[in-house]
Amino acid sequence: WQMATSRMEDGSHLVRLTDRSAAHASEQMRVDFVANASHELRTPLATVLGFLETLRDDDQAAGDPATRGRFVDLMYAEARRIHRLVDDLISLSRIEAERFSPPRESVPLLPLVEEVRVGAGQLLEARGGRIEVVADAAQPVALGDRTQLLQLLQNLIVNAIKYGRAGETVTVRFEDAGAEMLRVTVIDRGEGIEPDHIPRLTERFYRVDPGRSRSMGGTGLGLAIVKHIVGRHRGQLDIRSTPGEGTQVSVLLPRAAGPGPMSSKSHVNV
Ligand code: ADP
């Protein structure tokens, strides 16, 4: 990955990450990754085991419905965290294994945003937010892997909801970028990211505020997964942010050959 950082006229910082080679991650990175992943799994697992031991050994705790109920809820939340982590780890290794075979399905993107919106319904409600879609073409269609593009949109949109300001709108913009590419930009009005952090956000398990990420259910793998999906699609990932104002993450993807750009602008609020 090649990285270029530049300061934009409006004071925001743009960091562009481009996959220049298929070079293997260094051995040190692999060792760190295994250590981090084990630690991330060990913590919730230790919590679950602790509660189970109490329920097994402490008749008073086990006999009290309120205590038992509270323990079950806590164990459920920790087990969910383990599940999310394992799912993300599996996704990462799958995407990496497939990195030499660019996917070639025609994938209409608006239905994917709708899927994300439905899946994120609870989170959206909790944060009082909404998703707005702005598209150049009536139906932007990428050339890629549907499941992975859904995951890419999901990770970016969910981050924008989580780290955006409560009650704010998240914008998902689709634009033509030349004859063969299209650009997807997810924009939030949130706390933004200090420039020093931006180059490291796509590292596995890197979080600006670990407590915040964990309390929001984050695994710390979302942007690493996005980077790998973009790499497999031979695309480009840009992260641009202004602290205190918000973040724009934009992804350049191959466009499916079709009727071509349409002049009618559509503006859909979902
Ligand atoms: P996580 O599961 O922690 O959200 P990600 O890999 O998706 O993991 O993101 C890594 C970190 O980048 C997050 O913990 C957060 O600190 C920061 N981040 C990601 N998206 C945004 C955003 N839209 N606004 C502010 N910070 C963000």
Side-chain angles (χ1 to χ4, degrees), residues 54-56 58-65 67-68:
T54 307
L55 288 176
R56 187 192 59 190
D58 180 339
D59 290 342
Q60 204 181 344
D64 174 34
T67 307
R68 210 174 48 222

Side-chain angles (χ1 to χ4, degrees), residues 18-167:
T18 312
D19 193 358
R20 290 284 177 217
S21 75
H24 291 196
S26 70
E27 180 62 10
Q28 186 55 45
M29 272 177 67
R30 200 186 62 78
V31 170
D32 288 349
F33 173 56
V34 172
N36 286 335
S38 313
H39 180 76
E40 295 281 342
L41 286 166
R42 195 175 194 281
T43 309
L45 203 49
T47 311
V48 172
L49 281 174
F51 284 122
L52 281 175
E53 279 161 15
T54 307
L55 288 176
R56 187 192 59 190
D57 301 336
D58 180 339
D59 290 342
Q60 204 181 344
D64 174 34
T67 307
R68 210 174 48 222
R70 196 162 50 83
F71 281 14
V72 168
D73 288 346
L74 290 165
M75 287 192 288
Y76 183 76
E78 295 300 308
R80 285 279 306 263
R81 171 185 296 289
I82 297 171
H83 195 178
R84 277 196 303 274
L85 263 162
V86 170
D87 274 353
D88 277 359
L89 290 169
I90 291 172
S91 292
L92 258 181
S93 67
R94 270 208 195 121
I95 301 160
E96 270 194 294
E98 292 170 339
R99 70 184 178 281
F100 298 119
S101 55
R104 309 207 54 84
E105 268 174 81
S106 285
V107 186
L109 296 174
L110 296 185
L112 300 189
V113 177
E114 182 56 21
E115 266 185 62
V116 173
R117 192 189 65 79
V118 171
Q122 255 185 350
L123 176 67
L124 269 175
E125 206 171 302
R127 306 278 300 156
R130 56 193 272 285
I131 300 170
E132 164 197 62
V133 177
V134 184
D136 255 3
Q139 183 56 272
V141 183
L143 196 61
D145 179 310
R146 188 181 190 282
T147 309
Q148 289 179 4
L149 292 176
L150 175 64
Q151 192 166 20
L152 177 145
L153 285 169
Q154 172 165 326
N155 291 357
L156 296 183
I157 294 171
V158 165
N159 276 353
I161 303 170
K162 285 192 309 192
Y163 304 110
R165 216 166 279 129

Side-chain angles (χ1 to χ4, degrees), residues 191-229:
E191 65 211 44
I193 307 162
E194 293 293 335
D196 293 355
H197 291 289
I198 296 182
R200 301 200 59 192
L201 296 182
T202 57
E203 287 175 22
R204 293 154 188 208
F205 300 118
Y206 187 86
R207 296 152 158 129
V208 176
D209 178 346
R212 170 108 198 258
S213 157
R214 290 200 177 88
S215 71
M216 293 279 192
T219 60
L221 293 172
L223 289 177
I225 290 174
V226 166
K227 183 180 85 170
H228 280 85
I229 293 175

